[in-house]
Amino acid sequence: MHSLISSAFIIGLICLVSAPGRAADDILGPDTKACAHTSSGPSVLVRVHGFKDRAGNVRVELYPATPEDFLASRRKLEEEGKVFKRIDVPTPTDGDAHICVELPDFGSYALSVLHDRNASGKLDPFSDGFGFPNNPKLGMSKPDVEEATFIVFGKMNLDIVLNYWSGFSAKPLNNP
């Protein structure tokens, strides 16, 4: 766990220091002001790339960074008073999707991204794309929460590459 925290801290610092600014009109979602340099609270700007096509929606979901809560149902997390946030935006017509997520506080979180190609609001694993922070290699099951955890000390950017099913694993389209 110590090495996870150290790695996440270093990744967070690199993202915070090296991340280019985005114009406000390039950022999607209801929390765009939270990613402005003038905002004082914690936020993450999620940059999603590797789209298979421009159909449907992009969904970002924020979870507590614990094994029992990662990818748990919205209802369960809300009933237990735990962190959960869902942002749905139309898939951009070109380029990457930049989605701002305002965070309730500084600390550790897990996150998932879904390219919901048919806009059903549900994962179709053999059609939809999906990704996580740290871009873990995916197999036949979800990643461990440690692989999808990031630590926020202020404002940061996360680059997430979408994965689509191919054969017996999910992988980015440009990675044979």
Side-chain angles (χ1 to χ4, degrees):
M1 185 69 171
H2 177 68
S3 64
L4 168 68
I5 293 171
S6 298
S7 297
F9 176 74
I10 291 168
I11 290 168
L13 285 178
I14 291 169
C15 290
L16 184 64
V17 172
S18 65
R22 298 291 311 167
D25 57 351
D26 289 346
I27 300 173
L28 304 171
D31 296 343
T32 57
K33 290 181 181 178
C35 288
H37 293 292
T38 56
S39 172
S40 61
S43 65
V44 60
L45 182 61
V46 180
R47 179 177 164 228
V48 183
H49 52 99
F51 288 96
K52 185 174 195 171
D53 55 35
R54 300 302 164 160
N57 297 320
V58 180
R59 171 174 282 180
V60 174
E61 290 185 335
L62 183 72
Y63 298 92
T66 61
E68 64 274 4
D69 296 328
F70 179 50
L71 300 178
S73 75
R74 174 185 204 156
R75 184 173 12 152
K76 172 196 176 294
L77 294 172
E78 288 177 348
E79 284 175 359
E80 294 175 2
K82 295 182 178 179
V83 170
F84 179 84
K85 185 171 236 179
R86 175 181 290 159
I87 298 174
D88 288 306
V89 297
T91 302
T93 56
D94 61 6
D96 299 335
H98 297 91
I99 303 166
C100 181
V101 181
E102 184 175 21
L103 304 172
D105 206 348
F106 304 104
S108 299
Y109 297 94
L111 187 131
S112 70
V113 174
L114 169 66
H115 177 203
D116 183 9
R117 294 176 61 218
N118 66 0
S120 68
K122 298 178 182 179
L123 171 65
D124 178 354
F126 299 106
S127 173
D128 294 339
F130 43 91
F132 303 93
N134 308 314
N135 298 303
K137 189 172 184 152
L138 301 172
M140 297 294 281
S141 62
K142 70 179 184 176
D144 291 333
V145 68
E146 292 85 10
E147 296 176 299
T149 295
F150 62 100
I151 300 173
V152 178
F153 297 99
K155 297 189 181 315
M156 69 179 288
N157 291 358
L158 286 177
D159 281 313
I160 297 182
V161 178
L162 290 169
N163 295 269
Y164 296 87
W165 276 105
S166 176
F168 293 107
S169 65
K171 56 189 168 190
L173 293 175
N174 61 356
N175 186 7

